[in-house]
Amino acid sequence: MRFLMIFLLVFSLSFSENLDEFEDEFKSSKKQDSFESYNRAMTKFNDFVFEYALDPITNGYSYIVPETPRIGVANFFENLLFPIRFINNLLQFKFQNSFDETLRFLANTIFGVAGLGDVATNVYNIPKHNEDFGQTLGFYGVGSGAHFVLPFLGPSNFRDIVGLGGDYFAQPISYVKPPIASFGIKTYDKINFVSLHKEEYKSFKKDALDLYIFLRDMYEQNRNKLIKE
Amino acid sequence: MRLFSVFILIFSLSFGGIKESEISSTMQEKINLSLTYLKDNALSKENKAEKIFALFNEIFDFNLMSQLSLANDWKKLNNAQKTEFIQVFEQRLKQSFLDKLDLYTNEEIFVKKLQKPKQNRIILPTTLQNKDKQIDISYKFYLSKNDWLIYDVDILGVSVIQTYRNQIVGFLEKDGFENLIKKLKESQISTDE
């Protein structure tokens, strides 16, 4: 015990000088979470949907469809989102990025067989520049607004919900008729995506002391990083 | 004799970091070695983790990480609680890393150019090429005396320490220190399932 005390004393001394600097670095902008009780309930709901619907559905799907074609499907849908990335890079004056995205789209569509293969990344090494309308709003200084958990879609905030509206109109699948078919295709895209990444969600979930705060923080920090890029 | 070992320990701790000029090369080397361990099917998951921890232990400042994740609540703890927290928190971070090993499927990791946002801060960005996307992982170093130590890791822009801080503040307010320790330990056990 004495040993531990000495140990403690030593390191507490050696850090006390510069700890304030760290505190500034980690100081969280104390944001009001006006929808906390709703958000918590919706997080529970979404997690329930994941555990009892998405997880078993994607298990079955993965059992039937091997991983390689599933990655192909993910690439295909990702390639189709090209207009969102192109427009939003332009709106943020990132002309080189828009150009890269155009090249990527052409390469993947032509040589990647309608986007099934991501040859732009794997063969031509053209960097990807994900930008969406939420990020563009952030780029022009629009604050995130209150955090808001959407049913099925998960964490979001007021700015990004407005952004989702823009994203909706900039993706070809939204124009598929009838609307139910469009919705069906988007749902399939999501299920395919979840089948590739659900283990990550499960593993990160284990790290959470408080699932809602954990997901909220991850979402907001990640979005801030994307906007800064 | 005991006093002597304390000195040795303190001595070795304060010299655990890396020199600025060696951060990129040392990290590249350690990451490459980690990848070799990860790809070595003859090693068990626990063995892999052990070997990787041995590589990085000396450059992670777990004491500071513990302190930072408790924010202002750190000062409210007595010494025994502080020691207990550091121990449990370090175990927790390692356990969480161990769990992540299951997700590893032959990805490559690329070390990018060092950034030095401040005189006493260095960020080493790396990229992990996953199945269908890239994951940015940044190691954040601070200057401790003459050497550099890691005090935080950003995954996709999400700071591990910041995320713990925001959860712990609320948790301590509601459930208190004993329950926090219990919670941190609990998830360590449940990962054995």
Side-chain angles (χ1 to χ4, degrees), chain B residues 115-153:
Chain B
Q115 297 163 4
K116 200 171 179 184
K118 274 201 280 182
Q119 222 25 39
N120 52 359
R121 294 282 186 281
I122 282 180
I123 299 172
L124 182 79
T126 67
T127 302
L128 187 145
Q129 179 67 48
N130 191 320
K131 285 177 253 191
D132 59 339
K133 55 181 185 178
Q134 295 183 332
I135 298 175
D136 292 333
I137 302 173
S138 294
Y139 298 89
K140 301 200 277 194
F141 292 81
Y142 81 101
L143 185 60
S144 159
K145 306 222 175 68
N146 299 313
D147 293 311
W148 295 82
L149 290 168
I150 296 174
Y151 67 96
D152 190 15
V153 179

Side-chain angles (χ1 to χ4, degrees), chain A residues 8 14 18 34 94 135 148 155 181 194 198-199 207 209 212:
Chain A
L8 245 145
S14 58
N18 50 14
S34 333
K94 296 170 180 165
Q135 290 180 55
F148 195 83
V194 171
K198 65 178 176 175
E199 294 309 323
D207 290 343
L209 299 172
Y212 164 61

